[in-house]
């Protein structure tokens, strides 16, 4: 597995790993018929949008790391409910 592929599978780097896996599974199960997986695509898109907003806010505030680690993200999600 390439270094880039390993980064994408890392929970600390990719906050939308579960959504990515669900989308891929849906595509595999439905013979890559994208129309059958619209909900999964939307959830992935909303996840990326949500965490990008968090990352930009932290960057503006000078918080490092810009992307919260997996444990901190879990606490953020618990406090907000299901934001996406």
């Amino acid at each position: 597995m390439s270094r880039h592929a390993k980064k994408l599978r890392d929970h600390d780097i990719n906050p939308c790993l579960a959504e990515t896996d669900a989308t891929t599974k849906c595509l595999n199960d439905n013979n890559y018929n994208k129309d059958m997986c619209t909900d999964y695509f939307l959830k992935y898109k909303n996840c990326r949008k949500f965490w990008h907003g968090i990352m930009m806010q932290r960057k503006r505030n000078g918080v490092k790391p810009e992307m919260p680690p997996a444990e901190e993200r879990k606490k953020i999600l618990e406090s907000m409910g299901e934001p996406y």
Side-chain angles (χ1 to χ4, degrees):
M1 189 181 290
S2 71
R3 179 182 292 164
H4 181 68
K6 285 181 183 178
K7 282 177 124 179
L8 292 177
R9 301 298 308 162
D10 185 351
H11 286 284
D12 280 330
I13 295 172
N14 184 357
C16 300
L17 190 57
E19 289 78 6
T20 302
D21 291 344
T23 302
T24 303
K25 182 179 182 327
C26 179
L27 287 169
N28 287 335
D29 292 347
N30 291 294
N31 202 23
Y32 286 83
N33 181 352
K34 293 179 182 178
D35 295 333
M36 301 293 288
C37 302
T38 311
D39 292 338
Y40 292 97
F41 290 133
L42 187 59
K43 187 163 182 163
Y44 173 78
K45 182 179 176 182
N46 290 337
C47 176
R48 296 296 298 176
K49 190 177 192 179
F50 174 78
W51 288 113
H52 180 73
I54 295 286
M55 195 170 71
M56 291 293 98
Q57 181 181 14
R58 287 170 63 104
K59 188 175 187 175
R60 280 190 297 273
N61 294 340
V63 177
K64 295 283 183 178
E66 293 162 4
M67 178 59 73
E71 284 300 314
E72 189 176 339
R73 287 195 310 263
K74 186 177 178 182
K75 291 175 185 174
I76 292 169
L77 288 175
E78 287 171 356
S79 71
M80 297 182 82
E82 183 93 15
Y84 46 88

